[in-house]
Amino acid sequence: MQNNVEGRRASCNRYGDDEMTRCKVMLVATLLTASTTGLAGVSAQEAEKLGKSLTPIGAERAGNEDGSIPEWTPIEPFGKASGEFPNNPEVEADRPAYLVSAANVDQYIDKMSAGHKELFRRYPDSYKMIVYPTRRVANFPDRIKEETIKNATRASLNGVDDPQGAFVGFPFPIPQSGAEIPWNHRSKWRGENIRRYNNQMIVQLDGKFSLTKIVEDVQFDYASIANPNPAELQPGTTFIRYLSQTISPPRIAGTYILVHEKAGFGPEGRAAWLYAPALKRIRRAPAVCCDNPYEGTDGHQFYDQVDMYNGVLERFRWKLLGKREMLIPYNSYKIAGDSVKYADIAQPGHINQNLPRYELHRVWVVEAENKPDQRHTFSKRTMYFDEDTWNIVMIDDYDHQGQLMQFQEGHLVQFSAMLASTTVPEVIYHFNSGRYFVTAMFNEDEPYDNTVTYDDKFFEASSVQRKASK
């Protein structure tokens, strides 16, 4: 710990006066937080529950008392790692269990997020939730499960941005604090590498939309089962390498964003670069962070809303509120598949609610409250994490007047060949304007390619400059 502190203090000294002062203030604040909230792994006795009463990644193995949530029954891998849209024929053959509409919403109100309640209030004639039998079939590769069990006793979190002692698997399968759970989401298994389309649309009040097409290349350095010498999840260590290229529309085509995602903050944390076609050069981009608008989204998505939530945690106080049974988007293969067009998804007010699938699941609920001395557009975020995958599936975002400002909804699917779960698409409802933003779509393009490989220089800024200049 002491060596880490000295290294971070030295890193701060590389900055100019103003930035150096802020860096050192943040360092002191984090160390003070770490002295009171730093948590080591759970006891060996507690960890023994993993793989028994708990699943290997920390969910309750048993169903609930009335049977509406069944026992965990994981699938075995099937399908292809490229050229195939996410699917599960057995799950997709299910018939709906019931429909929630304005006529009966009060019966299910205690199972809903604030965002879903608001959508029912605003659109009583069109908003609905088609609820299916709950399927708890999400699984992970054996090594992810094995390392997750080991992480339970060896991983720790100092403050909120300094994980240590975790390797390969979910770092905190038996969470002891609110800040530990987002780290499970951020470091989750998604395959070794991915090339994917991340298409986005801004939907106006009348349902008309503008489309942006993006191709992303991603290498997952931390959650890698192929790496014989895995890196520890700790400040300064890169755990994700990311490169995006905007294909259309013409006004932003040729834009590249390069990110080396790291734990920690300041000089130890995220390193990002932006290539703008008008400038014809790649530059460091510290603004690729937090509540700065993602390039090309016209302010409809912040950088820390990518993948529901990502980036530093230090701007918020994190509180673990416990678990709830809630209706969440789950096994939503139809809306993610190639039988659906982008125009089928977009409707006035909200996405086409004939397409998503909802199920009753247990979720971890975490509240993030903006620190008074750390600026952010949101004063509070209430996040809902699926217990079986650690994916964030919903977020209620509040402004500084305490009003619900935005609602994020991620439609969870599993890529069965990889045994990797993620949310596609993701929706951000802007209640102040009535517009909404849909991202992570690839329905009309190629499905994920998990077979792609990258050389050592692919994610270097100089390589991106050469690629963009061709």
Side-chain angles (χ1 to χ4, degrees), residues 201 203 335-336 340-347 350-353 355 425 427 436 438 441 443:
M201 60 182 175
V203 185
I335 197 172
V340 170
K341 305 299 182 185
Y342 302 136
D344 298 330
I345 296 173
Q347 288 193 347
H350 54 77
I351 63 171
N352 180 354
Q353 286 297 111
L355 301 177
V427 188
Y436 62 93
V438 189
M441 300 185 298
N443 309 68

Side-chain angles (χ1 to χ4, degrees), residues 224-271:
S224 168
I225 61 177
N227 186 352
N229 299 302
E232 179 183 353
L233 185 63
Q234 62 179 341
T237 300
T238 301
F239 64 92
I240 295 175
R241 300 170 202 266
Y242 167 94
L243 176 64
S244 71
Q245 176 186 1
T246 302
I247 306 301
S248 65
R251 66 182 177 87
I252 55 173
T255 300
Y256 288 81
I257 297 174
L258 173 66
V259 177
H260 294 175
E261 188 70 302
K262 306 175 184 181
F265 64 86
E268 285 189 320
R270 173 183 292 172

Side-chain angles (χ1 to χ4, degrees), residues 256-323:
Y256 288 81
I257 297 174
L258 173 66
V259 177
H260 294 175
E261 188 70 302
K262 306 175 184 181
F265 64 86
E268 285 189 320
R270 173 183 292 172
W273 296 261
L274 174 68
Y275 177 90
L279 298 177
K280 297 188 183 302
R281 64 188 179 93
I282 193 166
R283 300 181 300 169
R284 287 297 294 264
V288 177
C289 172
C290 311
D291 57 347
N292 293 312
Y294 191 101
E295 202 76 15
T297 67
D298 294 340
H300 288 84
Q301 183 186 42
F302 298 144
Y303 278 109
D304 68 5
Q305 291 179 303
V306 174
D307 191 31
M308 300 298 287
Y309 183 85
N310 77 95
V312 295
L313 279 66
E314 54 93 16
R315 295 195 179 192
F316 293 87
R317 294 191 183 100
W318 298 83
K319 183 178 180 180
L320 177 55
L321 301 183
K323 273 188 179 180

Side-chain angles (χ1 to χ4, degrees), residues 86-87 92 130 132 330-341 345 352 354-357 413 424-425 443:
N87 69 92
E92 294 174 80
I130 304 174
Y132 287 77
Y330 214 97
N331 291 317
S332 215
Y333 293 105
K334 185 176 182 179
I335 197 172
D338 58 347
S339 66
V340 170
K341 305 299 182 185
I345 296 173
N352 180 354
N354 290 311
L355 301 177
R357 171 181 176 134
V413 297
V424 289
N443 309 68

Side-chain angles (χ1 to χ4, degrees), residues 100 150 157 187 213 233 304 389 408 442:
V100 181
K150 294 176 183 177
L157 183 63
S187 59
K213 289 200 172 189
L233 185 63
D304 68 5
T389 66
Q408 297 171 238
F442 51 96

Side-chain angles (χ1 to χ4, degrees), residues 314-317 369-376 378-379 400:
E314 54 93 16
R315 295 195 179 192
F316 293 87
R317 294 191 183 100
E369 183 181 2
N370 186 211
K371 295 177 181 177
D373 60 338
Q374 297 287 331
R375 181 195 63 80
H376 199 282
F378 300 138
S379 68
H400 285 269

Side-chain angles (χ1 to χ4, degrees), residues 326-455:
M326 300 188 73
L327 293 172
I328 62 176
Y330 214 97
N331 291 317
S332 215
Y333 293 105
K334 185 176 182 179
I335 197 172
D338 58 347
S339 66
V340 170
K341 305 299 182 185
Y342 302 136
D344 298 330
I345 296 173
Q347 288 193 347
H350 54 77
I351 63 171
N352 180 354
Q353 286 297 111
N354 290 311
L355 301 177
R357 171 181 176 134
Y358 294 87
E359 298 179 6
L360 183 69
H361 283 262
R362 288 183 292 245
V363 298
W364 290 95
V365 185
V366 174
E367 184 178 277
E369 183 181 2
N370 186 211
K371 295 177 181 177
D373 60 338
Q374 297 287 331
R375 181 195 63 80
H376 199 282
T377 300
F378 300 138
S379 68
K380 186 177 74 172
R381 295 163 132 162
T382 305
M383 302 183 179
Y384 306 90
F385 297 77
D386 168 45
E387 72 162 342
D388 286 321
T389 66
W390 294 111
N391 275 273
I392 301 174
V393 289
M394 301 180 297
I395 306 179
D396 299 319
D397 299 314
Y398 295 86
D399 64 21
H400 285 269
Q401 285 70 52
Q403 299 299 308
L404 186 62
M405 182 178 179
Q406 296 179 18
F407 173 56
Q408 297 171 238
E409 183 183 57
H411 294 261
L412 192 65
V413 297
Q414 180 155 73
F415 288 82
S416 302
M418 306 304 299
L419 295 182
S421 295
T422 193
T423 47
V424 289
E426 298 168 6
V427 188
I428 304 175
Y429 290 100
H430 290 252
F431 292 132
N432 53 352
S433 68
R435 293 188 291 270
Y436 62 93
F437 179 79
V438 189
T439 184
M441 300 185 298
F442 51 96
N443 309 68
E444 297 181 34
D445 291 285
E446 295 298 318
Y448 283 19
D449 182 359
N450 284 103
T451 65
V452 65
T453 58
Y454 306 107
D455 62 38

